[in-house]
Amino acid sequence: MSARPASGNDTAAALRATAHRLDAEDPLRPVRERFTLPEDVVYLDGNSLGALPKAVPDRLARVVAHEWGALGIRSWTESGWWEAPERVGELIAPLVGAGPGQVVVGDSTSVNLFKALVAAVRLAGEGRDEVLVDSSSFPTDGYIAEAAVRLTGHRLVPVLPAEVPGRLGPRTAAVLLNHVDYRTGRLHDLPGLTAAVHEAGAYAVWDLCHSAGALPVGLDAHGVDLAVGCTYKYLNGGPGSPAFLYVRAAHQAAFDSPLPGWNSHAEPFGMRPSYTRAEGATAGRVGTPDILSLLALEAALGVWEGVDLAAVRAKSLALTDFFLECVDRYVPAGSLESVTPAAHEERGSQLALRTPRAAALMPRLIARGVVGDFRPPDILRFGFTPLYVGFADAERAARVLAEELGAGD
Amino acid sequence: MSARPASGNDTAAALRATAHRLDAEDPLRPVRERFTLPEDVVYLDGNSLGALPKAVPDRLARVVAHEWGALGIRSWTESGWWEAPERVGELIAPLVGAGPGQVVVGDSTSVNLFKALVAAVRLAGEGRDEVLVDSSSFPTDGYIAEAAVRLTGHRLVPVLPAEVPGRLGPRTAAVLLNHVDYRTGRLHDLPGLTAAVHEAGAYAVWDLCHSAGALPVGLDAHGVDLAVGCTYKYLNGGPGSPAFLYVRAAHQAAFDSPLPGWNSHAEPFGMRPSYTRAEGATAGRVGTPDILSLLALEAALGVWEGVDLAAVRAKSLALTDFFLECVDRYVPAGSLESVTPAAHEERGSQLALRTPRAAALMPRLIARGVVGDFRPPDILRFGFTPLYVGFADAERAARVLAEELGAGD
């Protein structure tokens, strides 16, 4: 560590003292003990892959050895495997503001986007031939939307979320939006945009990948029609754990999946030649659920016991505010630009800092134990998972970032 | 156990002696040691859920604790997670007669059927508007085929496999067939039917759920266009483990997936707004792969090391022959009817026995440690996995079946 001017040392000491005070006052601090975190690492990539909940290894070992190894096929009934997609869905439901019977878990986010989008345009019916899709969103949303409208005969209209109200009209069938932009961390106005979509008589499909588990979503309260989300980011389900699909109760009777596999049949073991849709969220199932990943996710969701989402949101904003303050103090002005909105109501739980040196810088941060990620062409991305990231972590990350930028030399 | 007539005892003694001789001579006998089997159980449900390979628990524990818990996001590159769908595909390829670069693992069988069928009709191009689908097959194939043609504008023609040659014509775009019927265990003529499909200028899609790992398939040799298969039956990947998709090398340049998620992009981390398909089998990927299940499957596939598929097929036929012989000897004539063809060239690796008492009988067999399954309305289904089922198992299963049918009372 190089020698610093006295003012730098003072700054660091003050920020560290603040960090320790904030950590001591943090009501979510004990939740960190529910995770196994990499040693001596500040893990700011929970927005990409959540950390390992301590309950997972033992649960998974028992699923493998006892449920699969000893009971074999009997576990489909005796160990509750068959109902796992709905059961795990019910654990996610309160985290996204959904009442019972509307969330089912299975398949990847991309596959669920396809189901949701095709189902949405079918709900909209004839005469509405346009689908608006967020052009700033994660690419897979755009690719899948393009693939879906190619099959349904609709026209894709790429728009920025802010442009949606101006582009809605009698031809709009459905609108696909990301709640939080994966790159910039911008939080979009789910209640307002959903209301605008409804006013135009269209259906709102939300991608919650970067908001589920990071902030209150309020699917039921805001009238969202369909939603999909990832479980391996803020829900800590493990690498590639299955995604979830929300189908609003009011739409379930007319929900018409483009992937009606046998698991969504009203009588799956009847092995009937004709398809009859199951009731409820089950209609969103397709094939045999991936039990190992699904039950790892179920165990992982135990970390939410007693956790208040309002407290999660409050800590998320406090953490990102504090990190920005530390960056502001440690890093020379002009060397980094935050592309995440400063306004709380427009911020998710991650920060995106722009620098032309981003690609080279991130591996150096990782080598020094500050794990974020790089998104082309020039974004350093830092995710702040309130369940296990603390204020001292934020201070350390900002300090290492400043050092690697050369601020302390 | 009730007293038997002397002839019954003689029969049993002779059959047991034969079983012990056949087990002693079985070149695959040592492979059984690679599995953890339920204790004191004859597990004849490997055609539904394969038994637990011994290598899986430790491997999965390490993936969870070290790769996820300690390395976190770094494992996508450092632990080879990103390439797992193709890498595991290469382990399956030789088991289905596929050269390198044509098999990718991910998603459920149903989702892969959708990809394969839509891709097949797109390969067929304009002017061919019919899709033939095996009406005797597993229901999900029919549901998904119906859903696919509804989107592509084709017409579904349900046929029995034997009727396919007579229904092929200039309007046929694609034909979806099951290699082995899930209910009857009948093995269909993949080489002959594929050749007939090609002669009509159409594309052949095969569902290998009940043949992959049970018998040689020869995808490359027989010119199959596209194929899908399950990995949790004879490939022992664990409950709901991801399915595989085969895309013949010659079709890969024109393979046009209806589910082009970011994982199949030529430059997945480029996050580009427009989609450019990756080369090779990777084009069949969709979203983030389910790593826990995928790596459990990878470990499970280790049981195939040094195993010759011709020996597997020979043992499978010998086992099913021997079981039928035991049933024939133990069970009074007329109380059970085998709906699986007697001819070897028409038999998969399972037997289906019909009795009106099937529904009540199977739970009693299971209670006595003979685990098969029931398929409505009147089928007892017994799968013979040559890697871990022996001849003494077959004799015991037939004997218990006879006893429960009341033959020994």
Side-chain angles (χ1 to χ4, degrees), chain A residues 176-202:
Chain A
L176 170 61
L177 292 164
N178 266 258
H179 197 191
V180 174
D181 186 289
Y182 82 100
R183 216 168 52 89
T184 64
R186 177 184 290 272
L187 172 66
H188 295 298
D189 176 15
L190 181 143
L193 288 166
T194 303
V197 169
H198 287 168
E199 206 159 314

Side-chain angles (χ1 to χ4, degrees), chain A residues 36-38 43 45 48-53 56-57 60 64-65 68-70 72-74 76 81 107-108 110-111 114 122 138-140 143-144 147 150-152 182 232 236-240 242 256 258-262 265 269 271-275 286-293 296 366 371 375-376, chain B residues 36-38 43 45 48-53 56-57 60 64-65 68-70 72-74 76 81 107-108 110-111 114 122 138-140 143-144 147 150-152 182 232 236-240 242 256 258-262 265 269 271-275 286-293 296 366 371 375-376:
Chain A
T36 299
L37 293 165
Y43 192 67
D45 221 349
S48 189
L49 174 66
L52 171 64
V56 169
L60 200 53
V64 171
W68 173 13
I73 195 73
R74 294 163 51 187
W76 281 108
W81 288 355
D107 304 310
S108 67
S110 300
V111 169
F114 183 76
R122 286 176 175 171
F138 191 70
T140 216
Y143 309 156
I144 291 289
R150 176 177 166 199
L151 285 164
T152 60
Y182 82 100
Y232 51 78
N236 315 297
D256 188 0
L259 295 170
W262 73 292
H265 197 285
F269 290 94
M271 305 286 161
R272 307 205 176 274
S274 66
Y275 180 76
V286 186
T288 303
D290 198 326
I291 293 301
L292 300 187
S293 295
I366 293 172
V371 179
R375 284 295 174 262
Chain B
T36 300
L37 293 165
Y43 193 67
D45 222 348
S48 189
L49 175 66
L52 172 63
V56 169
L60 200 53
V64 170
W68 173 13
I73 194 73
R74 294 162 52 187
W76 281 107
W81 288 356
D107 304 309
S108 67
S110 300
V111 169
F114 183 76
R122 286 176 174 172
F138 191 71
T140 216
Y143 309 156
I144 291 289
R150 176 179 165 197
L151 285 165
T152 59
Y182 81 100
Y232 50 78
N236 315 298
D256 188 2
L259 295 170
W262 72 293
H265 197 286
F269 290 94
M271 304 287 162
R272 306 204 176 274
S274 66
Y275 180 76
V286 186
T288 303
D290 199 327
I291 293 300
L292 300 187
S293 295
I366 293 172
V371 179
R375 284 295 175 262

